[in-house]
Amino acid sequence: MCDFKTAIRAATEGVIERLNTAHCNNEVYALVFYPTSGFGDIDVLYATKGWLSKQPAGEGPQPDEEMLELLKSHPDLLQQVKSHRTSEYYFEVNAYEWDSPISFFDLFTAVNEILHDMEETDSIESILTEVLQDLRSSGKLDSDAFAEDVLLGVQFSDPSPNEVDLVTRISLAVNSAETHAKICDGYGI
């Protein structure tokens, strides 16, 4: 496990260095580990305030008119779609939607090689949590590139209920109460 922790910390510090070079004015407001389901591989995604400012304010994705028209012949489904609540923080906290133009996968080659040999997801969760806490407390994120209350954590592209639980446990451990509340709202919790 020590090898994994050392490798993931080194890779994440490499990400931070690249973001420090590419961004300024506290532009990066979110940085999350982004594993495949079951932790087959892991990468990092980030989001910027510039990207977020281009998203529809206060709403997530909405059904298009064509879909609503098709659902008119199925009133029960139409009602479900119309009553579905999407968090006002959807774009802010949902890494699946973020446009992360810089790729970091090359930094995670060693991490993923170690990860392929690991079997205990619980220990992976605790290591990721510890690395994120260490990065925040060590001041590595206290640069001109990162927002003061940068959102940290782990996210998945299509999370299972167990993965949503993992996302929220890590968020609670590494984020401010305000940021954690947005994560919970974004996941409908």
Side-chain angles (χ1 to χ4, degrees), residues 117-136:
D117 294 332
M118 293 177 67
E119 297 179 14
E120 298 176 34
T121 305
D122 291 341
S123 59
I124 294 170
E125 177 183 343
S126 65
I127 290 169
L128 295 179
T129 301
E130 188 177 333
V131 166
L132 291 170
Q133 289 171 329
D134 288 350
L135 290 170
R136 188 181 295 279

Side-chain angles (χ1 to χ4, degrees), residues 13-167:
E13 287 178 355
V15 168
I16 291 168
E17 286 176 25
R18 287 185 186 177
L19 291 173
N20 281 333
T21 301
H23 294 281
C24 59
N25 299 320
N26 308 110
E27 183 68 10
V28 178
Y29 78 84
L31 179 71
V32 297
F33 292 117
Y34 199 69
T36 58
S37 187
F39 287 96
D41 283 312
I42 195 166
D43 197 1
V44 167
L45 293 181
Y46 72 99
T48 64
K49 293 175 184 176
W51 173 85
L52 184 60
S53 70
K54 297 175 186 166
Q55 305 315 306
E59 62 181 51
Q62 302 299 312
D64 61 24
E65 293 302 318
E66 186 177 326
M67 177 195 281
L68 293 174
E69 189 62 38
L70 289 170
L71 289 175
K72 283 184 178 178
S73 60
H74 302 280
D76 54 329
L77 294 175
L78 179 62
Q79 180 57 34
Q80 281 184 337
V81 168
K82 285 185 171 184
S83 65
H84 177 74
R85 178 192 165 274
T86 303
S87 170
E88 67 181 286
Y89 304 111
Y90 176 83
F91 288 109
E92 184 175 350
V93 303
N94 193 327
Y96 176 77
E97 298 290 348
W98 298 345
D99 178 20
S100 297
I102 301 173
S103 174
F104 306 108
F105 200 73
D106 62 304
L107 296 173
F108 287 84
T109 303
V111 171
N112 289 325
E113 288 172 3
I114 296 167
L115 192 58
H116 295 161
D117 294 332
M118 293 177 67
E119 297 179 14
E120 298 176 34
T121 305
D122 291 341
S123 59
I124 294 170
E125 177 183 343
S126 65
I127 290 169
L128 295 179
T129 301
E130 188 177 333
V131 166
L132 291 170
Q133 289 171 329
D134 288 350
L135 290 170
R136 188 181 295 279
S137 66
S138 70
K140 295 276 184 193
L141 301 168
D142 296 340
S143 72
D144 190 42
F146 293 93
E148 184 176 324
D149 187 21
V150 63
L151 179 157
L152 298 174
V154 174
Q155 292 198 23
F156 299 86
S157 63
D158 186 18
S160 68
N162 288 340
E163 290 168 340
V164 169
D165 290 344
L166 183 146
V167 166

